[in-house]
Amino acid sequence: MAESERIPTSVRRMALAVILGFALVGVGVSTAAPARRAVAQVDEGFMYTAAFACVREVGPFDPAFMPGEYRTTVNVHNPQRHEVSFLKKAVIANSEETQERGIISDYREDVLRPDDALAIDCTTIISLLAQQPSVGNGFVVIESKEPLDVVAVYTQITEAGASVDVECIQPKQISGESVVPGRLGC
């Protein structure tokens, strides 16, 4: 069994996010915009948090990290038999070396008809953050009053080839000021 096969996907993904954070500091991704704090809008319901990496081209900053292109798409599906509205935002995760926290976008409302779906891709994330195309990494946060199906698709293209990883995003329960991990769906 190869060394990489023994490391869980979630650990590899977190390591990738940390490496990308350090790499983006090295290439000078702008964090000049002031960090804004979006306030949660759903008092009771569900929160989904998916990591994202939207990097057009990363160079050889670390021998353990392959230069390449990284993209994330967060797919959202309405399994309900009626229309469901939800809120989405994006949060940049800066390296703690920067001493500056990342940008938090305002929430944007969206609506899905029964059995409808949409993709929150890097273009949408860039739009949410009002950023230049080289965004970096962070989180997409979705809040809804009703359960949704949320799946993140991570794509990596390097000299060694291409890979795709799919992760079902588990909801957390929102109850007033508390957010508690839950075990619904997927």
Side-chain angles (χ1 to χ4, degrees), residues 43-44 47 60 64 66 100 122 132 138 146 150 172:
D43 292 333
E44 301 286 329
M47 177 189 289
M66 295 193 132
E100 189 174 325
C122 289
Q132 69 277 5
E146 300 190 54
V150 180
K172 298 171 194 79

Side-chain angles (χ1 to χ4, degrees), residues 86-162:
F86 65 94
L87 301 169
K88 61 188 174 195
K89 70 176 178 178
V91 180
I92 293 285
N94 284 341
S95 164
E96 61 182 40
E97 297 294 318
T98 67
Q99 301 286 321
E100 189 174 325
R101 295 298 167 236
I103 298 166
I104 300 173
S105 76
D106 291 330
Y107 276 98
R108 190 176 300 163
E109 186 172 12
D110 218 322
V111 177
L112 291 172
R113 295 180 311 263
D115 206 28
D116 203 2
L118 63 77
I120 302 170
D121 59 12
C122 289
T123 303
T124 305
I125 293 167
I126 290 167
S127 168
L128 285 167
L129 292 163
Q131 283 282 297
Q132 69 277 5
S134 183
V135 165
N137 67 78
F139 297 94
V140 170
V141 179
I142 296 166
E143 292 188 16
S144 66
K145 292 186 181 207
E146 300 190 54
L148 297 167
D149 298 327
V150 180
V151 177
V153 180
Y154 302 96
T155 306
Q156 168 184 329
I157 301 171
T158 65
E159 292 176 3

Side-chain angles (χ1 to χ4, degrees), residues 7-127:
I7 301 170
T9 301
S10 60
V11 172
R12 285 186 288 164
R13 191 172 305 116
M14 188 55 71
L16 173 64
V18 169
I19 291 167
L20 279 173
F22 283 114
L24 291 171
V25 170
V27 298
V29 170
S30 171
T31 58
R36 293 181 289 159
R37 303 289 174 217
V39 178
Q41 302 293 315
V42 176
D43 292 333
E44 301 286 329
F46 303 91
M47 177 189 289
Y48 303 84
T49 307
F52 75 80
C54 294
V55 182
R56 182 164 298 182
E57 190 69 33
V58 174
F61 298 104
D62 186 308
F65 184 69
M66 295 193 132
E69 183 175 326
Y70 300 85
R71 293 281 180 253
T72 302
T73 300
V74 179
N75 294 316
V76 183
H77 170 254
N78 176 12
Q80 308 301 325
R81 297 182 190 275
H82 55 272
E83 199 171 79
V84 173
S85 67
F86 65 94
L87 301 169
K88 61 188 174 195
K89 70 176 178 178
V91 180
I92 293 285
N94 284 341
S95 164
E96 61 182 40
E97 297 294 318
T98 67
Q99 301 286 321
E100 189 174 325
R101 295 298 167 236
I103 298 166
I104 300 173
S105 76
D106 291 330
Y107 276 98
R108 190 176 300 163
E109 186 172 12
D110 218 322
V111 177
L112 291 172
R113 295 180 311 263
D115 206 28
D116 203 2
L118 63 77
I120 302 170
D121 59 12
C122 289
T123 303
T124 305
I125 293 167
I126 290 167
S127 168

